[in-house]
Amino acid sequence: SNNSGTTELAHLAGEGMLSKTGSGSLTLNTATISTIVLQGSGQTDFTGDVNISEQLSIGNQTVNIQSGAVVTTSRLTASDRGSYVSSTININGGALNITGTVNNANTQNSFFLTHWTHSTSVLNLYSGMLNAVGAVLNTSWDSRGSFNAIGGEANLLGINLSGHEYPDRNGAFTLGS
């Protein structure tokens, strides 16, 4: 937990979980870990190779995948930590790789942007790579999520904009600026 200020981790390794709950900033250079949970109202910057064997869970956070960073995870969920959560993921020259292949019509999918009501998630691909060749990007469930492919390259199994049982909560996809 970092309630304010900036925390920088140069190297993290282990089979545990890293949980960030404060409103400060976190910079993570290299890591090999099971799970990362990012909550609070702060910012997290990935600047190197980060390998997550189970899940990257993003709550009320802005996540930046910087130039040269490679973030690989089996499962990514955003705005999945409760209602009234806002998540933003920016890919700025780095790479985000989703390796999971769960594509059920439920909230256990490998690539899930927005779950709970009154929450929002935005995934911005400015430059770099987004790879999820075995996973469908699910933008919405009970709230709206957005995927903006402004630049870079995206290799996805598919994109599901459906808002589950709520057609007024369908997600959005924008190609170009």
Side-chain angles (χ1 to χ4, degrees), residues 12-84:
L12 179 66
E15 288 300 314
M17 175 175 70
L18 170 65
S19 179
K20 179 193 175 297
T21 58
S23 61
S25 295
L26 172 66
T27 300
L28 187 56
N29 187 4
T30 61
T32 301
I33 195 163
S34 297
T35 302
I36 296 178
V37 177
L38 304 171
Q39 299 180 92
S41 58
Q43 173 177 310
T44 299
D45 296 322
F46 291 105
T47 60
D49 291 336
V50 177
N51 295 292
I52 307 157
S53 62
E54 294 177 18
Q55 180 175 357
L56 172 59
S57 176
I58 303 167
N60 207 30
Q61 256 326 270
T62 296
V63 171
N64 297 306
I65 301 172
Q66 305 291 6
S67 181
V70 178
V71 178
T72 302
T73 184
S74 179
R75 183 170 189 244
L76 182 138
T77 58
S79 295
D80 191 33
R81 307 301 290 175
S83 297
Y84 299 96

Side-chain angles (χ1 to χ4, degrees), residues 78-79 112-116 119-121 138-141 143-145:
S79 295
F112 206 107
L113 278 189
T114 308
H115 182 185
W116 296 103
S119 294
T120 60
S121 289
N138 293 276
T139 61
S140 305
W141 192 259
S143 289
R144 293 180 179 160

Side-chain angles (χ1 to χ4, degrees), residues 65 91 93-97 125 127-131 152-155:
I65 301 172
I91 303 173
L96 174 59
N97 302 311
L125 175 59
S127 61
M129 301 280 296
L130 172 62
N131 296 304
E153 183 177 326
N155 300 296

